[in-house]
Amino acid sequence: MNKPRSNRRAVNGILLLDKPEGMSSNAALQIVKRLFEANKAGHTGSLDPLASGMLPICFGEATKFSQFLLEADKYYRVTAKLGIKTTTGDREGEVVCQRSIPTITADLLHSLFNQFAGSIEQVPSMFSAIKHNGQPLYKLARQGIEIPRESRQVTIHELILLEAGSDYFSFEVRASKGTYIRTLVEDMGETLGCGAHVTQLRRLSAGPYQPEQMQTLSHLEQLQQTQSKELLDSYLLPVDSSIATWPLLPLSEAAIYYLKQGQPVIIPHAPTDGWVRLSHKNGAFIGVGEILKDGRVAPRRLVQN
């Protein structure tokens, strides 16, 4: 049962949850929110129940910057089953067709990967979370409704073969936002002429975050039983950790004052374009800004102090 709102607290930061297989992203979010007794939290980039791995959960002020994680590259470990195509593109769907499988060799798979490296076009699956008239496609798909989808361009930055057998192969992939791994595997299967679907999917990283930074639900539950909020909070990453590679601009009190009024300001030695992190002279993060064409820095999202 969730804590009454009056018993919840202000929590700020980012938790990298290792979402277990078989649980929805929203269910995982609600458990973590309860463990931290947080009054505000959201996840960035859903993982299907089938998938496990990195699910960044943003608390409090960090939710203002969640879009930058949504737009970041993701890294996955995938196992594809050959010869069988399913309705959902993964092992949870019904079998649509079965076809004979060509002889699988490392050379064949490396050649396949070369065809899918770089910028490619994808038609999102009907079992994706993309919305049509406010309804997620997967809900329509479960009603037997098929909606025409336009292809979209995504970028496959890296494909690494891990293992291969007569009817499967495992690989790691680093891809841009909006890439559907199930669709990637289905398209690979069609290129091989035999069809394919995902049997295992694990997200290893998102944006700047690394696998060793993830925390499991069981570990968090053990910590929560100690009734030490400080111990739980020690696993939170800073609000601005998702954008730690952006240029940092320390600001004077006068500049901060005008930015908080929504007014662009001139900052000496600022970059000539792009987005920047903004901080007090003491290093305390205050938000993000964007460089305007005239060189001034415009506030875009600021934290509440």
Side-chain angles (χ1 to χ4, degrees):
M1 183 178 294
N2 287 334
K3 286 266 185 180
R5 289 195 175 274
S6 59
N7 292 338
R8 295 182 188 176
R9 63 193 181 107
V11 180
N12 296 298
I14 298 173
L15 177 79
L16 301 180
L17 178 68
D18 187 348
K19 187 191 82 67
E21 189 176 308
M23 179 181 291
S24 73
S25 293
N26 185 61
L29 167 67
Q30 297 308 320
I31 292 172
V32 171
K33 188 175 178 182
R34 173 181 57 79
L35 291 175
F36 278 81
E37 299 180 11
N39 57 22
K40 184 178 183 182
H43 63 69
T44 60
S46 292
L47 281 173
D48 293 335
L50 167 84
S52 67
M54 187 173 291
L55 182 67
I57 294 181
C58 297
F59 291 94
E61 291 296 296
T63 59
K64 294 179 179 178
F65 310 98
S66 60
Q67 79 167 83
F68 304 116
L69 270 177
L70 288 169
E71 294 170 356
D73 292 346
K74 311 293 191 303
Y75 201 93
Y76 299 90
R77 182 176 295 142
V78 192
T79 299
K81 171 78 171 177
L82 296 170
I84 299 174
K85 187 173 181 179
T86 71
T87 52
T88 59
D90 59 37
R91 70 169 190 258
E92 296 183 337
E94 297 178 4
V95 175
V96 173
C97 65
Q98 292 185 252
R99 286 179 271 177
S100 60
I101 304 168
T103 301
I104 301 301
T105 65
D107 286 343
L108 176 65
L109 293 176
H110 286 309
S111 175
L112 177 71
F113 286 0
N114 286 336
Q115 294 179 60
F116 283 88
S119 294
I120 63 171
E121 294 287 326
Q122 274 195 343
V123 176
S125 167
M126 269 302 297
F127 284 86
S128 68
I130 293 174
K131 291 187 177 179
H132 174 77
N133 294 334
Q135 277 273 71
L137 288 183
Y138 65 81
K139 288 189 176 181
L140 297 174
R142 288 168 184 162
Q143 299 171 39
I145 301 172
E146 178 89 9
I147 301 296
R149 287 97 62 205
E150 292 186 2
S151 67
R152 54 174 62 182
Q153 190 175 74
V154 298
T155 302
I156 306 300
H157 298 289
E158 189 175 23
L159 286 163
I160 300 172
L161 179 64
L162 299 177
E163 186 181 355
S166 60
D167 64 350
Y168 77 95
F169 64 95
S170 298
F171 64 100
E172 290 182 353
V173 54
R174 183 166 62 89
S176 68
K177 70 169 183 175
T179 301
Y180 288 95
I181 303 302
R182 286 178 300 176
T183 301
L184 175 65
V185 166
E186 286 187 305
D187 291 346
M188 286 179 168
E190 291 306 307
T191 299
L192 289 173
C194 61
H197 67 276
V198 172
T199 57
Q200 289 186 308
L201 178 61
R202 180 168 175 77
R203 186 190 287 161
L204 298 175
S205 69
Y209 301 125
Q210 299 303 309
E212 59 270 16
Q213 294 177 284
M214 289 190 280
Q215 307 300 324
T216 65
L217 270 180
S218 59
H219 179 56
L220 295 173
E221 287 169 341
Q222 288 173 2
L223 291 176
Q224 194 265 350
Q225 290 173 7
T226 68
Q227 299 186 343
S228 172
K229 293 184 177 62
E230 292 76 14
L231 194 55
L232 265 180
D233 291 352
S234 69
Y235 287 91
L236 294 175
L237 300 175
V239 168
D240 63 334
S241 58
S242 63
I243 52 172
T245 58
W246 290 15
L248 177 64
L249 294 182
L251 305 175
S252 66
E253 290 299 325
I256 292 171
Y257 172 81
Y258 287 110
L259 285 171
K260 287 185 175 180
Q261 307 306 310
Q263 301 178 35
V265 297
I266 295 175
I267 306 296
H269 312 299
T272 56
D273 59 18
W275 288 69
V276 292
R277 286 182 296 148
L278 307 172
S279 75
H280 286 272
K281 295 263 183 169
N282 64 10
F285 176 65
I286 67 166
V288 298
E290 186 176 13
I291 309 297
L292 302 178
K293 290 182 178 179
D294 62 8
R296 293 180 300 163
V297 179
R300 293 301 184 226
R301 286 176 178 78
L302 302 180
V303 299
Q304 291 183 352
N305 295 325

